[in-house]
Amino acid sequence: MTDLTTTRATDEAAGDPAADVASLMQMIAGGAILQTLHAVAELNIADHVADGARTAKEVAEREGSHERSTFRLMRAAASLGVLSYEGSGRFGLTGRGQFLRTGVPGSLRSLVLIQAGESHWQPWSLFPEAVRQGASQAKKALGADVFDYYARPEKADKAKLFADSMRDLAGMVTQGILAEADTEGLSTAVDVGGGDGHLVLALMEANPALHGQVLDLPHAIEDASRQAERRGLSDRFSGVPGDFFVEVPGADLYLLKTVLHDWDDDRCTTILRNCRSAAGEGGRALVVEMLVDQEIGKPDFATIADVTMLCVTGGIERDLDEFDTLFAATCWHRGRTYPVGGGYFAMELEAI
């Protein structure tokens, strides 16, 4: 006699083959979907239809692209919900498509161009080898690791695009941080690897008594200094060229926004230990990162971000236990932890 429980479990495991194939086909098409968005961003499609629906012919004339191919691209974009089809060959812009426009709040255009461009796309062809070796193959694909690749003078435009994409991502979480983080009573904050200083400058605007610094590579702090001047904060801001693996300036608060995920555990330990060594009595840090859900098998974008880090930078997206291990090893204690938007969380640390 057949066990009914066993039969039911076998049926559930088998699933619906047709639905499973369709679902897997959609996953296989993921690369084509990204490159479709890449073309939409590169050809400024969202900008061309932002002020009203247009035909592919009109967009092709504006962009200088092939008319029929432009139609095919726009038709695919409509199937992805990025464009709307208004009839008579005219395409408009959806709410989703708004975030592929240039220069709008929350835009993800720069991120698409980076993720689908050569610096990120080429290493993916070697991802199986990255898993075998436990290390990014970006150097093999690009001739340098991704950060050295961006530092090449001939890649200055790519470096700017990468910085823009990071600034766009920062914009998503900064308001969440401002709503929760308390800098009252603090005099100095250092944005470690802070790029253009978006976060520390926002905290300085919220707290007129706070002085801010950005510790980063020379070309990055030049941008941060320009941003500080534009926002009228130059008298309380300074850029510090340096290497956070070697030394960080003394401060009351260290900001580590999407820094630790770029590096393996040993290098993260070095960064956190340098911050702890420079921190005074009662020193604090604010770490902002994605958190991998500890329940395996749930839909979790952080796990996809994690294999992206393995592929491109050699970094790691971590769960709370993994972060706590790093913090304990470097004499930091994690206090409040809260979501700040865009799938990111802020972890408040105290020196111990």
Side-chain angles (χ1 to χ4, degrees):
M1 184 173 177
T2 303
D3 184 336
L4 181 60
T5 302
T6 302
T7 302
R8 186 175 298 146
T10 302
D11 289 344
E12 289 176 356
D16 178 350
D20 289 341
V21 168
S23 177
L24 191 57
M25 286 293 290
Q26 185 71 13
M27 294 180 190
I28 292 169
I33 290 171
L34 176 57
Q35 290 299 343
T36 297
L37 296 177
H38 183 196
V40 168
E42 188 71 47
L43 274 66
N44 304 294
I45 302 294
D47 292 328
H48 289 313
V49 301
D51 59 351
R54 298 185 185 278
T55 65
K57 180 179 180 180
E58 291 172 316
V59 170
E61 288 173 350
R62 283 185 163 201
E63 186 62 29
S65 56
H66 184 267
E67 181 184 336
R68 187 176 182 187
S69 297
T70 302
F71 170 78
R72 294 166 69 185
L73 171 62
M74 295 175 74
R75 180 176 60 186
S79 78
L80 296 174
V82 172
L83 299 180
S84 60
Y85 185 63
E86 307 295 334
S88 303
R90 296 164 62 250
F91 293 85
L93 196 58
T94 64
R96 184 180 298 173
Q98 290 284 347
F99 293 101
L100 291 176
R101 291 178 59 192
T102 304
V104 300
S107 174
L108 297 177
R109 180 177 181 272
S110 295
L111 184 63
V112 169
L113 292 173
I114 281 293
Q115 292 289 337
E118 63 181 18
S119 63
H120 282 54
W121 189 253
Q122 290 186 20
W124 274 111
S125 66
L126 300 174
F127 182 56
E129 192 60 28
V131 175
R132 287 192 180 96
Q133 297 188 21
S136 169
Q137 300 298 297
K139 188 170 184 178
K140 185 174 181 180
L142 302 172
D145 70 42
V146 71
F147 296 115
D148 288 341
Y149 169 90
Y150 288 135
R152 292 172 173 172
E154 69 271 19
K155 301 297 181 182
D157 58 332
K158 303 296 183 185
K160 181 182 183 305
L161 189 62
F162 179 74
D164 289 346
S165 72
M166 294 299 99
R167 180 165 53 242
D168 291 342
L169 285 175
M172 290 197 300
V173 303
T174 296
Q175 291 306 312
I177 294 171
L178 291 176
E180 292 283 349
D182 180 14
T183 62
E184 193 69 29
L186 302 180
S187 62
T188 308
V190 173
D191 205 340
V192 180
D196 71 349
H198 184 93
L199 178 55
V200 72
L201 293 173
L203 291 173
M204 290 166 63
E205 287 177 331
N207 179 357
L210 187 67
H211 288 69
Q213 298 179 338
V214 165
L215 171 69
D216 213 317
L217 299 175
H219 72 272
I221 63 170
E222 289 175 7
D223 191 14
S225 296
R226 285 192 294 268
Q227 295 294 330
E229 183 176 4
R230 183 180 64 81
R231 296 163 79 157
L233 299 170
S234 293
D235 60 330
R236 292 189 282 131
F237 176 82
S238 60
V240 181
D243 183 346
F244 48 52
F245 292 118
V246 177
E247 186 180 20
V248 299
D252 300 320
L253 175 66
Y254 294 93
L255 304 172
L256 291 157
K257 182 181 64 60
T258 59
V259 169
L260 299 182
H261 76 154
D262 283 330
W263 307 102
D264 61 23
D265 290 348
D266 288 344
R267 291 188 174 186
C268 284
T269 297
T270 298
I271 296 168
L272 288 165
R273 187 169 286 136
N274 285 344
C275 291
R276 178 62 188 88
S277 296
E281 187 71 22
R284 292 161 52 183
L286 185 70
V287 173
V288 180
E289 295 285 358
M290 286 188 178
L291 290 177
V292 175
D293 198 306
Q294 291 174 300
E295 183 178 341
I296 295 175
K298 288 177 58 177
D300 183 9
F301 178 74
T303 64
I304 305 304
D306 179 47
V307 293
T308 301
M309 301 310 294
L310 170 58
C311 178
V312 179
T313 71
I316 306 171
E317 302 289 356
R318 298 171 172 88
D319 63 28
L320 267 179
D321 286 347
E322 291 171 314
F323 274 116
D324 284 343
T325 298
L326 288 175
F327 300 152
T330 53
C331 298
W332 291 102
H333 171 73
R334 179 172 61 84
R336 283 203 314 150
T337 299
Y338 44 86
V340 292
Y344 291 86
F345 290 78
M347 294 169 276
E348 296 184 352
L349 310 183
E350 298 177 0
I352 55 176

